[in-house]
Amino acid sequence: MTIGSSQNISQPELRTAFSSDRDEREAVEQLYQQLNWPELGFVLFFCSAEYNLEKLADAVQKRFPDILVAGCTTAGEITAEGYDQGSVSAVGFSSDAFAASGVLIESLDNFNFNDAQGVVQELSERCMAQQIAPIKDHSFALTLFDGLSTQEEKVLITLDSALGSIPHFGGSAGDDICLANTHVYFNGAFHTDAAVIILVNTNCEFRVFSGHHMDSRESKLVVTEADSDQRRVLELNAEPAALEYARVVGLPLEELNHHVFALNPIAVRIGEEYFVRSIQSVNDDLSLTFYCAVENGIVLTLMQPGEMAPLLDQQLTREENALGEHLLTLGCDCFLRRLEAELRGESERISNLMQRHRVVGFNTYGEQVDGMHVNQTFTAVAIGRKT
């Protein structure tokens, strides 16, 4: 059993908590003991899918009955002590420094611009009523999606249009790489085929950012046949997709797996930047299923991982230095990055780096930033003290 220790952040604005207790009620009780202070106004948590989610939801509702609580299942947790698995990690936000409002979206396939406008207006009005700070320049949006819903792109593009200048980031829920059931939590229960949208208004400094450590290679793959609704690519370069991918990475078809996908990602180039589109699985018909949307005609570039730890360290340091005093970074880290770190023997190094930079969050099935859904990326908000 592991519970949060004195290393956890305990500031007037924010507190962190975590527990590895396998009993749902005891795990939530430990979170409560670490987060219970008079100013607590909002709790965000990330939990292993190994928990009995009905029992966990019941315990959360009973222990935090009068405040906003949101969360999701993970493909790994990031606690105040670094990477963890089979645990629950949480952040508590002070009502003196943060106004948070949230909404659950259950009809993802029918979510339109009018819905998005209504959601943003409703969330903004609730935050304004708490009189923390003006909405403009003092707010960011957080999204949590069912990671197997395949609806992120449609909802994100629509939501981004309604958010306007409000920056946004988030992650897609995982299930410890089982690819069976992923859940978001809101209103006292876990939900599938749903998303949670949270607007956070604050008088603290913050910076939303995103980045990856991938370098482009020469090999190009043109999507010549795809089922966009199912995120399946049937053909690459007019050949069966799995066979063509195996050819360009130089491996036999039967060796394709999560490890290969993590070390040989492919990306789409937009402007001067590359955005990774990670492969989820090989199908019996030799098609490839992706974690992100794919379209007919797009050109994909084979990528190779650079040095993850130094680049992440530089990125986190840069964002922290831009704040007056850094308190916490709330991060959404792709599970394929964590898998890559394990394969390269750098998991402990990355975990220690996360701890040193005060990162709390989860390993995702996809990351979201300013209307885009990406993979093998670290996307986050760095939060500083009150301005």
Side-chain angles (χ1 to χ4, degrees):
M1 177 182 70
T2 304
I3 63 174
S5 70
S6 59
Q7 296 180 12
N8 286 8
I9 301 159
S10 182
Q11 303 286 354
E13 297 91 348
L14 295 161
R15 288 189 181 182
T16 66
F18 68 94
S19 173
S20 296
D21 199 295
R22 298 307 305 143
D23 180 87
E24 290 80 10
R25 187 175 301 175
E26 183 59 29
V28 173
E29 179 62 28
Q30 291 172 8
L31 295 185
Y32 176 78
Q33 293 302 326
Q34 296 169 69
L35 296 177
N36 182 31
W37 88 104
E39 292 77 25
L40 180 64
F42 167 48
V43 173
L44 181 66
F45 75 89
F46 311 104
C47 68
S48 168
E50 295 174 5
Y51 284 110
N52 181 308
L53 298 183
E54 186 175 344
K55 290 182 179 179
L56 190 69
D58 182 65
V60 169
Q61 179 67 11
K62 287 179 178 177
R63 247 342 188 169
F64 300 96
D66 301 320
I67 63 172
L68 175 65
V69 182
C72 68
T73 57
T74 77
E77 301 78 55
I78 308 171
T79 77
E81 294 187 358
Y83 278 154
D84 206 351
Q85 198 86 36
S87 67
V88 55
S89 181
V91 180
F93 295 76
S94 165
S95 59
D96 292 339
F98 298 91
S101 58
V103 65
L104 178 73
I105 307 298
E106 294 188 275
S107 298
L108 298 179
D109 54 344
N110 295 320
F111 190 74
N112 57 42
F113 183 66
N114 287 336
D115 296 329
Q117 283 185 314
V119 164
V120 173
Q121 182 176 347
E122 177 185 347
L123 297 180
S124 298
E125 289 175 352
R126 287 192 214 156
C127 285
M128 286 189 293
Q130 299 178 56
Q131 299 182 335
I132 296 294
I135 295 298
K136 182 176 173 58
D137 299 327
H138 296 277
S139 305
F140 62 87
L142 166 67
T143 50
L144 302 172
F145 277 80
D146 172 349
L148 299 176
S149 67
T150 70
Q151 297 294 320
E152 288 98 332
E153 286 84 7
K154 179 180 183 297
V155 175
L156 288 172
I157 291 173
T158 306
L159 179 63
D160 188 60
S161 298
L163 285 170
S165 62
I166 297 174
H168 151 255
F169 83 107
S172 298
D175 64 347
D176 300 303
I177 323 182
C178 293
L179 301 176
N181 290 288
T182 58
H183 298 77
V184 295
Y185 175 93
F186 194 76
N187 281 344
F190 283 93
H191 307 266
T192 58
D193 294 320
V196 176
I197 303 172
I198 304 289
L199 184 67
V200 179
N201 175 242
T202 181
N203 53 21
C204 292
E205 291 186 286
F206 67 85
R207 292 175 63 86
V208 173
F209 62 97
S210 182
H212 62 71
H213 63 295
M214 299 297 169
D215 299 318
S216 62
R217 295 158 68 176
E218 292 184 0
S219 298
K220 304 293 182 183
L221 295 161
V222 180
V223 178
T224 47
E225 185 177 354
D227 180 346
S228 300
D229 291 339
Q230 299 299 316
R231 294 179 175 171
R232 288 174 59 230
V233 172
L234 286 78
E235 289 186 358
L236 291 168
N237 297 338
E239 298 290 342
L243 290 178
E244 184 66 359
Y245 174 77
R247 183 188 69 79
V248 298
V249 300
L251 290 172
L253 175 68
E254 57 270 18
E255 291 187 14
L256 297 185
N257 56 30
H258 285 305
H259 296 177
V260 173
F261 303 150
L263 297 176
N264 299 273
I266 49 184
V268 60
R269 181 174 176 175
I270 301 175
E272 297 300 316
E273 294 189 57
Y274 287 92
F275 297 91
V276 180
R277 298 285 185 264
S278 293
I279 299 169
Q280 181 183 111
S281 60
V282 177
N283 303 312
D284 292 339
D285 63 356
L286 299 182
S287 65
L288 296 171
T289 297
F290 283 70
Y291 284 101
C292 273
V294 282
E295 304 284 346
N296 279 321
I298 65 170
V299 179
L300 299 170
T301 301
L302 188 65
M303 309 291 283
Q304 61 186 6
E307 293 296 324
M308 187 191 306
L311 288 173
L312 181 59
D313 192 15
Q314 292 170 16
Q315 182 179 43
L316 290 170
T317 300
R318 181 173 61 250
E319 301 300 333
E320 292 162 13
N321 289 343
L323 302 171
E325 181 182 351
H326 175 248
L327 297 179
L328 171 80
T329 293
L330 185 60
C332 300
D333 187 33
C334 184
F335 87 94
L336 289 169
R337 288 167 55 90
R338 181 164 174 170
L339 179 59
E340 179 196 331
E342 292 171 357
L343 293 171
R344 294 187 159 198
E346 292 201 333
S347 184
E348 184 176 358
R349 182 183 181 189
I350 298 294
S351 179
N352 291 338
L353 190 155
M354 296 281 194
Q355 179 183 7
R356 178 163 54 87
H357 284 281
R358 298 179 176 178
V359 178
V360 173
F362 74 113
N363 296 113
T364 75
Y365 279 177
E367 304 74 59
Q368 301 133 30
V369 59
D370 292 336
M372 293 193 65
H373 184 215
V374 293
N375 298 129
Q376 270 175 279
T377 298
F378 180 83
T379 182
V381 59
I383 301 173
R385 282 206 181 276
K386 293 181 182 180
T387 55

